Amino acid sequence: MKPAATVLQSTHLSFSEFAGQSGQWKNSVLGSLCFSHPSQFAGQDNFDHLSGPPFIQVPMSIIDGADCCCEIWRSQTALTQGQRGALRYRCDNETLFGVMVMPEVPAAPSEQNQQTPLQHATESAYRQIFALLDELDYPFVLRFWNYMADINGASHGLERYHQFTLGRQDAFLACGREVIGKVPAACALGYTPAMAQNPLIIAVLAGRTAPLAIENPRQMSAYRYPLQYGPRSPSFSRASLVSLGQDALLFISGTASIVGHETLHAKDVVAQTRETLANIKAVLDEANRQSGQPLFNLANLYYRVYVRHVADMLLIREEMQRSIGAEFKAVFLQADICRPDLLLEIEATAGHSLTLSGAGRGKP
Ligand code: 3EB
């Protein structure tokens, strides 16, 4: 039998359950992502932003799975923490979790080479993250999470998501990172401008053992997307398969109704859901093939579903039940997807070490 103790665990709790944990429990937290309508973050000041575990607050409303807005990564071993500018992190011997909140401010005149504020914020954030990973020797990114305001908007003649992919790839190249092949799993979503500064919000999980970058045979690799999707191809893989101790963790990137490089089923949310799940299934098959064991299936994933139109949620959930089975663990959030014709995007995590508290139904 596998020992119960694991290196890295993920737990899903409500914000108040999280805040109410003991100091000792919080000391074991590497970092977390909390999703909530901005008004719900108010009054959560009992959370010590400076000395507590690094976490990001993503201003997206929960549509379903309401008790489960925080994804919390914990470690079994001793942690250290630190800060470099706006980048906060905690790490154990194997993994580092970092968070960064970057306001969009125009580039200083001296360094201004016609970068838009979002492009500049993105390149700067990614350069700082890579510098920290190099300095502390966590060379391999397992997963990036990216959230920005108004992702479908445009300025300076460029869609904002494309400004982001431009700044991101420039930072990858400047920091000697590969932009083809061995690229990290990621997601990139939009939130409704809600806060004073509407910053770019990034979380990163990095490690010391190279993950396997998984691609999807049904989809063109995103890093090979043609120019019509922006001046730079997005630097992410479809999933990363990570070995930590005896555990296998799978991070499935944001996945949508894209086959080849084209969006399918514009305006048909049920068909987009079915296609998205077919893509996730293909990624799982690929992960199982590459790990040589049937470790992963649709029923043992933890899903985060980003829904453009709140009213579509029930149809999406019904279609997920048809494809996965009646029982699955998911949180549904309202978010904007990077292509205007995409109505949803689904990401998922799987791993033997995952502690899943049932999409909010169970207590920790
Ligand atoms: C897609 O497949 C949908 O730019 O980091 C999914 C996951 C998407 C990650 C990213 C974008 C990103 O192209 C969009």
Side-chain angles (χ1 to χ4, degrees), residues 126 144 146 161 164-165 168 185-189 219 222 225 234-238 253-256 258 337-339 342 345:
Y126 271 84
F144 276 118
N146 302 288
Y161 172 63
F164 164 82
T165 57
R168 175 172 59 180
C187 62
L189 284 303
Q219 296 186 305
Y225 280 170
S235 314
F236 72 96
S237 62
R238 299 302 178 182
S253 294
T255 306
I258 296 172
I337 324 298
C338 61
R339 293 186 188 182
L342 290 173
E345 183 169 307

Side-chain angles (χ1 to χ4, degrees), residues 301-319:
L301 300 183
Y302 188 98
Y303 295 93
R304 186 176 292 121
V305 186
Y306 298 98
V307 178
R308 186 185 291 280
H309 303 299
V310 173
D312 287 340
M313 194 276 289
L314 286 176
L315 286 173
I316 296 170
R317 198 172 59 188
E318 277 170 23
E319 186 55 37

Side-chain angles (χ1 to χ4, degrees), residues 148-225:
M148 67 205 80
D150 192 23
I151 196 169
N152 298 129
S155 75
H156 309 76
L158 201 56
E159 283 182 38
R160 279 171 54 79
Y161 172 63
H162 298 163
Q163 299 175 19
F164 164 82
T165 57
L166 196 56
R168 175 172 59 180
Q169 192 182 92
D170 285 347
F172 269 66
L173 294 170
C175 298
R177 299 269 165 172
E178 292 178 41
V179 295
I180 285 183
K182 290 181 199 143
V183 290
C187 62
L189 284 303
Y191 62 84
T192 305
M195 299 183 283
Q197 280 194 309
N198 296 312
L200 170 67
I201 302 169
I202 301 176
V204 59
L205 189 64
R208 292 183 162 154
T209 309
L212 277 179
I214 310 282
E215 290 300 312
N216 178 351
R218 304 179 87 238
Q219 296 186 305
M220 176 182 284
S221 293
Y223 49 77
R224 300 196 195 281
Y225 280 170

